Coordinates of all heavy atoms in Angstrom, one line a residue:
K267 N -29.3 -0.3 33.3 CA -28.2 0.3 32.8 C -27.4 1.1 33.9 O -26.2 0.9 34.2 CB -28.3 1.1 31.5 CG -27.1 1.6 30.9 CD -27.4 2.3 29.5 CE -26.1 2.7 28.9 NZ -26.4 3.5 27.7
R268 N -28.2 2.1 34.4 CA -27.6 3.0 35.4 C -28.1 2.8 36.8 O -27.6 3.4 37.7 CB -27.8 4.4 34.9 CG -27.3 4.8 33.6 CD -25.8 4.9 33.6 NE -25.2 5.3 32.4 CZ -23.8 5.4 32.2 NH1 -23.0 5.1 33.1 NH2 -23.4 5.7 31.0
G269 N -29.1 2.0 36.9 CA -29.7 1.7 38.3 C -30.5 2.8 38.7 O -30.7 3.1 39.9
K270 N -31.1 3.6 37.8 CA -31.9 4.8 38.1 C -33.4 4.7 37.9 O -34.2 4.6 38.8 CB -31.4 6.0 37.4 CG -29.9 6.4 37.7 CD -29.5 7.7 36.9 CE -28.1 8.1 37.3 NZ -27.7 9.4 36.5
H271 N -33.7 4.5 36.6 CA -35.2 4.7 36.2 C -35.9 3.3 36.3 O -36.8 3.2 37.1 CB -35.3 5.3 34.9 CG -34.7 6.7 34.8 ND1 -33.5 6.9 34.0 CD2 -34.9 7.8 35.4 CE1 -33.2 8.2 34.2 NE2 -34.0 8.7 35.0
R272 N -35.4 2.4 35.5 CA -36.2 1.1 35.5 C -36.0 0.4 36.8 O -37.0 -0.1 37.4 CB -35.6 0.2 34.3 CG -36.1 0.7 33.0 CD -35.3 0.1 31.8 NE -34.0 0.7 31.7 CZ -33.2 0.5 30.6 NH1 -33.6 -0.3 29.6 NH2 -32.1 1.1 30.5
T273 N -34.8 0.4 37.4 CA -34.6 -0.2 38.7 C -35.4 0.6 39.7 O -36.0 0.0 40.6 CB -33.1 -0.2 39.0 OG1 -32.4 -1.1 38.1 CG2 -32.8 -0.7 40.4
G274 N -35.4 1.9 39.6 CA -36.1 2.7 40.5 C -37.6 2.5 40.6 O -38.2 2.5 41.7
C275 N -38.2 2.2 39.4 CA -39.6 1.9 39.3 C -39.9 0.7 40.0 O -41.0 0.6 40.7 CB -40.0 1.9 37.8 SG -40.2 3.5 37.1
L276 N -39.1 -0.4 39.8 CA -39.4 -1.7 40.4 C -39.3 -1.6 41.9 O -40.1 -2.1 42.6 CB -38.4 -2.7 39.8 CG -38.5 -4.2 40.4 CD1 -40.0 -4.7 40.2 CD2 -37.6 -5.1 39.7
V277 N -38.2 -1.0 42.4 CA -38.0 -0.8 43.8 C -39.1 0.0 44.4 O -39.7 -0.3 45.5 CB -36.6 -0.1 44.1 CG1 -36.5 0.2 45.6 CG2 -35.5 -1.1 43.7
G278 N -39.6 1.1 43.7 CA -40.7 1.9 44.2 C -42.0 1.1 44.3 O -42.8 1.3 45.3
C279 N -42.2 0.1 43.4 CA -43.5 -0.7 43.5 C -43.3 -1.7 44.7 O -44.3 -2.0 45.4 CB -43.7 -1.5 42.2 SG -44.1 -0.4 40.7
L280 N -42.0 -2.2 45.0 CA -41.8 -3.0 46.1 C -42.1 -2.2 47.4 O -42.8 -2.7 48.3 CB -40.4 -3.4 46.1 CG -39.9 -4.1 47.5 CD1 -40.7 -5.4 47.7 CD2 -38.4 -4.3 47.5
R281 N -41.7 -0.9 47.4 CA -42.0 -0.1 48.6 C -43.4 0.1 48.9 O -43.9 0.1 50.0 CB -41.3 1.3 48.4 CG -39.7 1.2 48.3 CD -39.1 0.4 49.4 NE -37.7 0.7 49.5 CZ -36.8 -0.1 50.1 NH1 -37.3 -1.2 50.8 NH2 -35.5 0.2 50.1
K282 N -44.3 0.2 47.8 CA -45.7 0.2 48.0 C -46.3 -1.0 48.6 O -47.1 -0.9 49.4 CB -46.4 0.6 46.6 CG -46.2 2.0 46.1 CD -47.1 2.3 44.9 CE -48.5 2.5 45.4 NZ -49.4 2.9 44.3
L283 N -45.7 -2.1 48.2 CA -46.0 -3.4 48.8 C -45.7 -3.3 50.3 O -46.4 -4.0 51.1 CB -45.3 -4.6 48.1 CG -46.0 -5.2 46.9 CD1 -45.0 -6.3 46.4 CD2 -47.3 -5.8 47.3
Q284 N -44.6 -2.7 50.7 CA -44.1 -2.7 52.0 C -44.8 -1.5 52.8 O -44.5 -1.2 53.9 CB -42.7 -2.5 52.1 CG -41.9 -3.6 51.5 CD -40.4 -3.5 51.5 OE1 -39.9 -2.5 51.0 NE2 -39.7 -4.3 52.2
R285 N -45.8 -0.8 52.1 CA -46.7 0.2 52.7 C -46.0 1.4 53.1 O -46.3 2.1 54.1 CB -47.4 -0.4 54.0 CG -48.3 -1.6 53.6 CD -49.0 -2.2 54.9 NE -49.6 -3.4 54.5 CZ -50.3 -4.2 55.4 NH1 -50.4 -3.7 56.7 NH2 -50.9 -5.3 55.1
W286 N -44.9 1.8 52.3 CA -44.2 3.1 52.4 C -45.2 4.1 51.9 O -45.9 3.9 50.9 CB -43.0 3.1 51.5 CG -41.8 2.4 52.1 CD1 -41.8 1.4 53.0 CD2 -40.4 2.8 51.9 NE1 -40.4 1.0 53.3 CE2 -39.7 1.9 52.7 CE3 -39.8 3.8 51.2 CZ2 -38.2 2.0 52.7 CZ3 -38.4 3.9 51.2 CH2 -37.6 3.0 52.0
C287 N -45.1 5.3 52.5 CA -45.9 6.4 52.0 C -45.3 6.9 50.7 O -44.1 6.7 50.4 CB -46.0 7.5 53.0 SG -44.5 8.3 53.4
L288 N -46.0 7.6 49.8 CA -45.5 8.0 48.5 C -44.4 8.9 48.7 O -43.5 8.9 47.8 CB -46.7 8.6 47.7 CG -47.6 7.6 47.0 CD1 -48.7 8.4 46.3 CD2 -46.9 6.7 46.0
T289 N -44.4 9.8 49.7 CA -43.3 10.8 49.8 C -42.0 10.1 50.0 O -41.0 10.4 49.4 CB -43.6 11.6 51.1 OG1 -44.8 12.4 51.0 CG2 -42.5 12.6 51.3
A290 N -42.0 8.9 50.8 CA -40.8 8.2 51.0 C -40.4 7.4 49.8 O -39.2 7.4 49.5 CB -41.0 7.2 52.2
V291 N -41.3 6.9 49.1 CA -41.1 6.2 47.8 C -40.4 7.1 46.8 O -39.4 6.8 46.2 CB -42.4 5.6 47.2 CG1 -42.1 5.0 45.8 CG2 -43.0 4.6 48.1
F292 N -40.9 8.3 46.7 CA -40.4 9.3 45.7 C -39.0 9.8 46.1 O -38.2 10.0 45.3 CB -41.3 10.5 45.5 CG -42.7 10.1 44.8 CD1 -43.8 11.0 45.0 CD2 -42.7 8.9 44.1 CE1 -44.9 10.6 44.3 CE2 -43.9 8.6 43.5 CZ -45.1 9.4 43.6
D293 N -38.8 10.0 47.4 CA -37.5 10.4 48.0 C -36.4 9.5 47.6 O -35.4 9.8 47.2 CB -37.6 10.6 49.6 CG -38.3 11.9 49.9 OD1 -38.5 12.8 49.0 OD2 -38.6 12.1 51.1
E294 N -36.8 8.2 47.8 CA -35.7 7.1 47.5 C -35.4 7.1 46.0 O -34.3 7.0 45.6 CB -36.2 5.8 47.9 CG -35.2 4.7 47.7 CD -35.6 3.3 48.2 OE1 -36.8 3.0 48.0 OE2 -34.9 2.6 48.8
Y295 N -36.5 7.2 45.2 CA -36.3 7.2 43.7 C -35.4 8.4 43.3 O -34.5 8.2 42.5 CB -37.7 7.2 43.1 CG -37.6 7.6 41.6 CD1 -37.3 6.6 40.6 CD2 -37.8 8.9 41.1 CE1 -37.2 6.9 39.2 CE2 -37.7 9.2 39.8 CZ -37.5 8.2 38.8 OH -37.3 8.6 37.5
Q296 N -35.7 9.6 43.8 CA -35.0 10.7 43.5 C -33.5 10.8 44.0 O -32.7 11.4 43.4 CB -35.7 12.0 44.1 CG -37.1 12.2 43.3 CD -38.0 13.3 44.1 OE1 -37.5 13.8 45.1 NE2 -39.1 13.5 43.5
C297 N -33.4 10.0 45.1 CA -32.0 9.9 45.6 C -31.0 9.2 44.6 O -29.9 9.6 44.5 CB -32.0 9.1 46.9 SG -30.5 9.0 47.9
F298 N -31.6 8.3 43.8 CA -30.7 7.6 42.8 C -30.8 8.3 41.4 O -29.8 8.4 40.7 CB -31.2 6.2 42.7 CG -30.8 5.3 43.9 CD1 -31.6 5.2 45.0 CD2 -29.6 4.7 43.9 CE1 -31.3 4.4 46.0 CE2 -29.2 3.9 45.0 CZ -30.0 3.8 46.1
A299 N -32.0 8.8 41.1 CA -32.2 9.4 39.7 C -31.6 10.9 39.7 O -31.2 11.3 38.7 CB -33.7 9.4 39.4
A300 N -31.6 11.5 40.9 CA -31.1 12.9 41.0 C -31.7 13.8 40.0 O -32.9 13.9 39.8 CB -29.6 12.8 40.9
A301 N -30.8 14.5 39.3 CA -31.3 15.5 38.3 C -32.1 14.9 37.2 O -32.8 15.6 36.4 CB -30.2 16.3 37.8
K302 N -32.0 13.6 37.0 CA -32.7 12.9 35.9 C -34.0 12.2 36.3 O -34.5 11.3 35.6 CB -31.7 11.9 35.2 CG -30.5 12.6 34.5 CD -29.7 11.6 33.7 CE -28.6 12.3 33.0 NZ -27.7 11.3 32.2
A303 N -34.5 12.6 37.5 CA -35.8 12.0 37.9 C -36.8 12.3 36.9 O -36.9 13.4 36.3 CB -36.1 12.6 39.3
R304 N -37.7 11.4 36.6 CA -38.8 11.5 35.7 C -40.1 11.6 36.3 O -40.4 10.7 37.1 CB -38.7 10.3 34.6 CG -37.5 10.3 33.8 CD -37.3 9.0 33.0 NE -36.2 9.0 32.2 CZ -35.8 7.9 31.5 NH1 -36.5 6.8 31.6 NH2 -34.7 8.0 30.8
V305 N -41.0 12.5 35.9 CA -42.3 12.6 36.4 C -43.1 11.4 36.0 O -43.9 10.8 36.7 CB -43.0 13.9 35.8 CG1 -44.5 13.9 36.2 CG2 -42.3 15.1 36.4
S306 N -42.8 10.8 34.8 CA -43.6 9.6 34.3 C -43.3 8.4 35.2 O -44.2 7.6 35.4 CB -43.2 9.4 32.8 OG -41.8 9.2 32.7
D307 N -42.1 8.2 35.6 CA -41.7 7.1 36.5 C -42.5 7.3 37.8 O -43.1 6.3 38.3 CB -40.2 7.1 36.8 CG -39.4 6.7 35.6 OD1 -40.0 6.2 34.6 OD2 -38.2 6.9 35.7
Q308 N -42.5 8.5 38.4 CA -43.2 8.6 39.7 C -44.8 8.5 39.5 O -45.4 8.0 40.4 CB -42.8 10.1 40.2 CG -41.3 10.1 40.6 CD -40.9 11.6 41.0 OE1 -41.1 12.0 42.1 NE2 -40.3 12.3 40.0
R309 N -45.2 8.9 38.4 CA -46.7 8.7 38.2 C -47.0 7.3 38.1 O -48.0 6.8 38.5 CB -47.1 9.5 36.9 CG -48.6 9.4 36.7 CD -49.0 10.1 35.3 NE -48.6 11.5 35.3 CZ -47.7 12.0 34.6 NH1 -47.1 11.2 33.6 NH2 -47.5 13.3 34.6
F310 N -46.1 6.5 37.4 CA -46.3 5.1 37.3 C -46.3 4.4 38.6 O -47.2 3.6 38.9 CB -45.2 4.4 36.4 CG -45.2 2.9 36.4 CD1 -46.1 2.3 35.4 CD2 -44.5 2.2 37.2 CE1 -46.1 0.9 35.4 CE2 -44.6 0.7 37.2 CZ -45.4 0.2 36.2

Side-chain angles (χ1 to χ4, degrees):
K267 185 176 181 181
R268 299 290 182 183
K270 295 181 178 181
H271 303 112
R272 288 167 282 193
T273 297
C275 285
L276 179 56
V277 171
C279 293
L280 170 66
R281 296 311 192 192
K282 290 193 69 175
L283 273 176
Q284 294 178 306
R285 302 180 186 177
W286 280 31
C287 66
L288 281 176
T289 300
V291 173
F292 294 161
D293 281 349
E294 182 179 40
Y295 168 83
Q296 292 167 2
C297 187
F298 289 89
K302 295 188 177 181
R304 296 173 178 170
V305 174
S306 56
D307 288 349
Q308 294 172 81
R309 185 182 300 115
F310 175 85

